[in-house]
């Protein structure tokens, strides 16, 4: 089981990062083809429509993943539930689109939202097929599915952007990716839900879904209130700058932690020994922190050079929000293992109440700070994520019958490593600025210096054992 968990984690992480690589490429190319206003409009559409994805899933995918034995009849009922919920919220979005556009004062939001609503139906009917791939250990197929669907959307968007489609190229990107994913996952699983019947035990899944639903809704509003608030108070271009900063900072976290969740939750849920569960959990934490935290340190220090090199000088206004949001992502990464533990122990209620103060800070604070600008909103997000992690460690962890040290000790070495990386990058960037180097040369110099530092650290036996053991957890 441990070997399956490690292989699944490795395949899903690399598959998700390949998907992120495609998204990252589209960010670079489309930023040079489309104006900031286009990204701002699409960000508003996706921030409003995001609640549809939460409702359409209703926590049923996680419930199916964590269940030790899942009958085909029960999964068919869950498949219809996901599909019907997705269709319902799509209809609601279509009806509400004109009113939402009027509230933002941006007419194009209405037809965009109506069109993007198609993805809720497509994604809803694909949920349980993806769960089947996940539960059967077909991680390579699942990874290729994610990559292929993302590739179809990226290619479509780039072609349409070249042809002058503007913001509609971004809308077609969403619809094409979802359509491709549904078709391919049905072909891979050769499964479609049978007609639902009574007595399938689906009520327990609905109870679990309703318990996780509050947490997911709170997470949605706190994750999208910043964009929505800026949409009311600022221009579409200002929203576009913030959205690009979000894409470069928060999205990498989601692309790394989300696939780990799909592998970690079902794998750890099957471990019956508390000692074995604790040991595996610590190793997974160390793997997560060791990879993510130094990477986020690089984004924080090199934000200006990243934006100028990748997106171009017209996007430099996104640099400071990028730094602040990357800092928020640090706390988000640190909090992910608490989320995993709550799911595994079916104590998501404790997690919801512990996260609520931080979520409220983000939601209320975003609307209060939006009139100041996107940097102020980014600092609100940073404060809220710090509160979420702190309260989770102080209050939620004991209610999960776990020790705080199980979540604090695994992050010590990665945090120290990230701090060392930050100092080295600051010195490298300062030296490059003094020499008048271009942004791309400064980035390359920073990467080279960090690589040299890692080689030196690997020569120290204690540090080498810690780093190698953490990274090997995903490789075995």
């Amino acid at each position: 089981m441990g070997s399956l968990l490690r292989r699944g984690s490795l395949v899903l992480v690399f598959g998700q990062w390949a998907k992120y690589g495609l998204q990252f490429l589209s960010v670079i190319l489309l930023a040079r083809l489309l104006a900031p206003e286009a990204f701002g409009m699409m960000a508003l559409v996706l921030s409003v429509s995001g609640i549809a994805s939460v409702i359409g899933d209703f926590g049923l995918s996680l419930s199916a993943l964590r269940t030790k034995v899942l009958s085909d009849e029960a999964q068919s009922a869950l498949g219809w539930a996901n599909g019907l919920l997705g269709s319902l919220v799509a209809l609601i979005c279509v009806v509400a689109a004109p009113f939402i556009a009027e509230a933002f004062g941006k007419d194009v939001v209405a037809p965009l939202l109506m069109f993007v609503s198609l993805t809720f139906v497509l994604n809803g009917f694909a949920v349980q097929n993806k769960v089947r791939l996940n539960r059967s250990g077909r991680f390579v197929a699942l990874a290729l599915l994610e990559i292929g669907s993302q590739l179809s959307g990226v290619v479509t968007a780039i072609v349409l952007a070249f042809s002058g489609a503007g913001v509609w190229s971004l809308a077609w990107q969403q619809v094409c990716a979802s359509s491709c994913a549904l078709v391919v996952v049905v072909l891979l699983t050769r499964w479609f839900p049978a007609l639902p019947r009574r007595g399938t035990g689906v009520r327990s899944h609905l109870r679990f879904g309703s318990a996780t639903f509050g947490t997911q809704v709170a997470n949605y509003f706190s994750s999208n209130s910043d964009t929505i608030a800026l949409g009311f108070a600022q221009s579409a271009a200002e929203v576009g700058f913030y959205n690009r900063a979000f894409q470069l900072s928060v999205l990498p976290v989601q692309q790394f932690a989300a696939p780990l969740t799909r592998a970690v939750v079902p794998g750890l849920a099957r471990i019956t020994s508390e000692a074995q569960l604790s040991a595996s959990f610590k190793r997974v934490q160390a793997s997560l922190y060791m990879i993510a935290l130094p990477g986020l340190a690089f984004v924080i220090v090199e934000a200006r050079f990243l934006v100028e090199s990748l997106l171009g000088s017209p996007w430099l206004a996104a640099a400071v929000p990028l730094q602040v949001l990357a800092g928020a992502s640090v706390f988000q990464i640190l909090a992910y293992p608490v989320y995993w533990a709550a799911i595994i122990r079916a104590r998501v209620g404790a997690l919801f109440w512990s996260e609520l103060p931080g979520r409220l800070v983000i939601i209320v604070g975003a609307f209060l700070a939006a009139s100041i600008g996107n940097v102020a909103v980014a600092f609100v997000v940073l404060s809220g994520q710090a509160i979420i992690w702190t309260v989770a460690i102080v209050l939620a962890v004991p209610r999960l019958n776990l020790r705080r040290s199980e979540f604090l000790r695994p992050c010590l070495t990665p945090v120290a490593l990230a701090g060392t990386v930050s100092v080295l990058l600051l010195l490298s960037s300062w030296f490059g600025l003094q020499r008048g180097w271009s942004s791309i040369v400064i980035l390359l110099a920073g990467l080279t210096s960090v690589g040299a530092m890692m080689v030196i650290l690997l020569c120290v036996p204690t540090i080498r054992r810690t780093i190698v053991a953490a990274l090997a957890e995903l490789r075995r």
Side-chain angles (χ1 to χ4, degrees):
M1 182 57 64
S3 177
L4 177 62
L5 171 61
R6 288 187 286 267
R7 288 197 302 270
S9 300
L10 181 65
V11 170
L12 288 176
V13 167
F14 276 96
Q16 197 75 5
W17 271 93
K19 176 183 173 182
Y20 173 68
L22 290 171
Q23 290 178 318
F24 193 68
L25 179 62
S26 72
V27 167
I28 297 172
L29 295 177
L30 292 173
R32 297 177 182 274
L33 296 172
L34 301 173
E37 289 81 2
F39 291 100
M41 285 300 179
M42 198 61 201
L44 291 177
V45 170
L46 295 179
S47 66
V48 172
S49 65
I51 187 62
S53 300
V54 176
I55 297 174
D57 183 273
F58 199 68
L60 299 182
S61 61
L62 272 177
S63 181
L65 281 174
R66 64 177 291 276
T67 302
K68 291 180 173 63
V69 178
L70 181 65
S71 67
D72 194 67
E73 292 81 4
Q75 192 161 36
S76 291
L78 293 177
W80 283 111
N82 283 132
L84 293 176
L85 283 170
S87 302
L88 176 62
V89 295
L91 179 61
I92 293 173
C93 284
V94 169
V95 173
F99 304 100
I100 294 171
E102 184 178 356
F104 281 122
K106 300 172 177 65
D107 293 338
V108 73
V109 167
L112 284 171
L113 180 55
M114 292 179 183
F115 184 59
V116 171
S117 296
L118 288 172
T119 62
F120 312 147
V121 182
L122 299 169
N123 294 340
F125 280 104
V127 168
Q128 293 302 321
N129 292 76
K130 293 180 180 179
V131 169
R132 289 180 75 87
L133 288 179
N134 206 148
R135 287 181 60 87
S136 61
R138 297 176 65 184
F139 298 114
V140 173
L142 192 58
L144 292 177
L145 168 69
E146 298 283 354
I147 296 169
S149 59
Q150 185 63 38
L151 179 61
S152 69
V154 169
V155 171
T156 301
I158 292 174
V159 170
L160 290 175
F162 265 116
S163 66
V167 67
W168 283 97
S169 59
L170 301 176
W172 274 102
Q173 179 180 5
Q174 302 294 322
V175 173
C176 284
S178 296
S179 301
C180 178
L182 177 59
V183 171
V184 174
V185 78
V186 170
L187 292 175
L188 287 172
T189 58
R190 297 183 180 181
W191 179 84
F192 197 81
L195 291 177
R197 298 184 303 174
R198 289 186 176 183
T200 58
V202 75
R203 289 185 179 180
S204 62
H205 295 283
L206 293 174
R207 283 195 296 270
F208 180 88
S210 63
T212 62
F213 184 67
T215 300
Q216 291 176 326
V217 169
N219 182 53
Y220 158 77
F221 279 111
S222 63
S223 299
N224 292 276
S225 59
D226 47 2
T227 301
I228 296 172
L230 286 170
F232 284 119
Q234 300 289 338
S235 66
E238 190 80 357
V239 179
F241 289 129
Y242 186 87
N243 177 255
R244 293 302 86 181
F246 176 87
Q247 292 283 326
L248 293 174
S249 63
V250 180
L251 194 58
V253 174
Q254 297 173 345
Q255 298 301 322
F256 184 70
L260 267 183
T261 299
R262 296 204 301 267
V264 166
V265 169
L268 293 180
R270 295 186 181 100
I271 299 177
T272 56
S273 168
E274 281 293 323
Q276 185 182 355
L277 176 63
S278 177
S280 297
F281 194 64
K282 288 178 182 177
R283 288 194 295 268
V284 173
Q285 284 187 77
S287 304
L288 172 67
Y289 298 152
M290 192 67 70
I291 296 173
L293 296 185
L296 287 170
F298 181 84
V299 174
I300 292 171
V301 176
E302 305 285 0
R304 171 191 164 187
F305 312 114
L306 277 171
V307 170
E308 189 171 14
S309 299
L310 300 178
L311 307 183
S313 54
W315 289 90
L316 278 175
V320 176
L322 171 59
Q323 289 179 305
V324 181
L325 289 173
S329 295
V330 170
F331 290 102
Q332 191 177 2
I333 279 290
L334 293 175
Y336 247 97
V338 183
Y339 169 67
W340 293 338
I343 294 295
I344 292 167
R345 295 182 180 270
R347 296 292 302 276
V348 290
L351 183 66
F352 170 78
W353 290 111
S354 71
E355 288 187 350
L356 189 59
R359 302 292 181 195
L360 289 175
V361 167
I362 294 175
I363 295 169
V364 176
F367 282 91
L368 294 176
S371 60
I372 302 175
N374 57 28
V375 175
V377 172
F379 272 109
V380 168
V381 175
L382 171 60
S383 302
Q385 290 293 347
I387 293 171
I388 288 171
W389 175 74
T390 303
V391 176
I393 293 297
V394 174
L395 297 181
V397 168
R399 295 186 66 181
L400 296 174
N401 297 320
L402 296 169
R403 295 187 301 273
R404 297 185 183 95
S405 60
E406 293 186 59
F407 296 87
L408 295 175
R409 287 179 181 172
C411 72
L412 294 179
T413 298
V415 167
L417 179 61
T420 306
V421 167
S422 299
V423 172
L424 191 60
L425 289 171
L426 284 170
L427 292 173
S428 174
S429 299
W430 176 83
F431 182 80
L433 288 172
Q434 294 299 311
R435 297 284 179 174
W437 293 349
S438 65
S439 294
I440 188 66
V441 173
I442 291 176
L443 284 177
L444 293 174
L447 288 171
T448 301
S449 60
V450 170
M453 182 201 73
M454 293 300 296
V455 171
I456 295 172
L457 288 177
L458 287 173
C459 295
V460 180
T462 303
I463 297 177
R464 181 175 65 250
R465 284 194 298 269
T466 302
I467 294 175
V468 171
L471 296 180
E473 181 64 25
L474 293 179
R475 191 172 60 250
R476 291 174 188 171

